[in-house]
Amino acid sequence: NAGVTQTPKFQVLKTGQSMTLQCAQDMNHNSMYWYRQDPGMGLRLIYYSASEGTTDKGEVPNGYNVSRLNKREFSLRLESAAPSQTSVYFCASRDEKGDGYTFGSGTRLTVV
Amino acid sequence: QKEVEQNSGPLSVPEGAIASLNCTYSDRGSQSFFWYRQYSGKSPELIMSIYSNGDKEDGRFTAQLNKASQYVSLLIRDSQPSDSATYLCAVSESGSARQLTFGSGTQLTVLP
């Protein structure tokens, strides 16, 4: 099915461990985004990529890095996980013809 | 910092009633406005978009935009228990990436 695919769906990390969240879309969208969602705080933008080869910081970039590997894939890396990074992470992409996002199913990350 | 504020709720309405969800935004340069629905444990899904002042209707949903007052609302007519979810207001910035800023969401419960 066409859409945005995120892996993994669940992950538990120990403080200080690193990991990469993967995201891929097959809709030929230029723009891709990473958000985190915490209870009562809505979705906050971590990083985004307006096109292949470009990335920019969002509202809460500290502790994260991203890579726009190609037009399809946009990964999010936690170099040294902290308990404050416990959250649900959503990847999204945007159709150039409109403004609506398509979201992936999310990654539930717990850092202990 | 750009802000999007929603009535925090939770909001409960009886089945068949009209549910009214409200949102204000701080950036007068905002171009596009969206309502997303998010069921518990799921990713957000786009239900309405609105770009110009006035009302936009789609089935049981009506979005209302007043740019002078920096206010956007969503009305759900003939509310159904299946409408029980968190509703997220989102505002798009101008620019090539047109990243969205989300409100914290309003939890709606429709009582049978």
Side-chain angles (χ1 to χ4, degrees):
Chain A
N1 292 337
V4 179
T5 302
Q6 286 184 239
T7 56
K9 293 190 183 303
F10 301 93
Q11 184 72 48
V12 178
L13 289 179
K14 294 182 179 179
T15 298
Q17 286 185 320
S18 63
M19 78 162 296
T20 300
L21 281 64
Q22 306 287 352
C23 176
Q25 52 92 8
D26 58 6
M27 297 171 286
N28 203 36
H29 290 173
N30 281 330
S31 300
M32 298 184 72
Y33 312 83
W34 276 104
Y35 285 85
R36 61 178 287 174
Q37 186 173 35
D38 302 296
M41 300 192 71
L43 289 148
R44 292 183 292 168
L45 183 63
I46 305 171
Y47 271 93
Y48 63 97
S49 171
S51 62
E52 183 179 354
T54 67
T55 61
D56 285 287
K57 296 179 180 180
E59 180 186 353
V60 289
N62 291 344
Y64 305 96
N65 285 299
V66 290
S67 295
R68 185 72 183 269
L69 304 171
N70 47 56
K71 191 170 186 178
R72 291 186 62 248
E73 298 173 288
F74 188 37
S75 63
L76 178 71
R77 183 162 179 84
L78 288 70
E79 291 291 351
S80 179
S84 61
Q85 295 177 305
T86 293
S87 188
V88 180
Y89 291 85
F90 288 103
C91 177
S93 67
R94 181 177 64 82
D95 181 355
E96 303 312 307
K97 300 174 186 175
D99 286 320
Y101 284 14
T102 299
F103 282 90
S105 58
T107 296
R108 293 184 176 275
L109 176 66
T110 301
V111 183
V112 297
Chain B
Q1 182 166 338
K2 299 176 177 62
E3 295 183 348
V4 177
E5 302 281 346
Q6 294 185 241
N7 45 339
S8 57
L11 176 66
S12 293
V13 299
E15 184 174 356
I18 296 175
S20 178
L21 305 167
N22 303 315
C23 175
T24 59
Y25 59 95
S26 64
D27 182 13
R28 285 194 173 274
S30 299
Q31 304 277 331
S32 311
F33 307 86
F34 306 89
W35 285 98
Y36 285 79
R37 178 176 61 199
Q38 187 176 26
Y39 292 113
S40 180
K42 301 297 185 182
S43 57
E45 56 177 326
L46 180 66
I47 55 171
M48 288 288 288
S49 59
I50 187 166
Y51 306 101
S52 55
N53 282 330
D55 295 358
K56 179 182 178 182
E57 187 174 318
D58 184 0
R60 296 186 295 112
F61 298 98
T62 299
Q64 300 174 316
L65 176 61
N66 184 326
K67 288 186 177 180
S69 300
Q70 296 175 245
Y71 175 87
V72 59
S73 66
L74 179 70
L75 299 177
I76 307 174
R77 292 182 300 281
D78 188 24
S79 296
Q80 301 297 309
S82 59
D83 295 326
S84 298
T86 296
Y87 289 81
L88 300 167
C89 174
V91 175
S92 176
E93 302 179 17
S94 59
S96 62
R98 286 184 273 171
Q99 56 268 36
L100 292 181
T101 300
F102 286 83
S104 58
T106 300
Q107 184 177 346
L108 172 67
T109 300
V110 180
L111 303 170

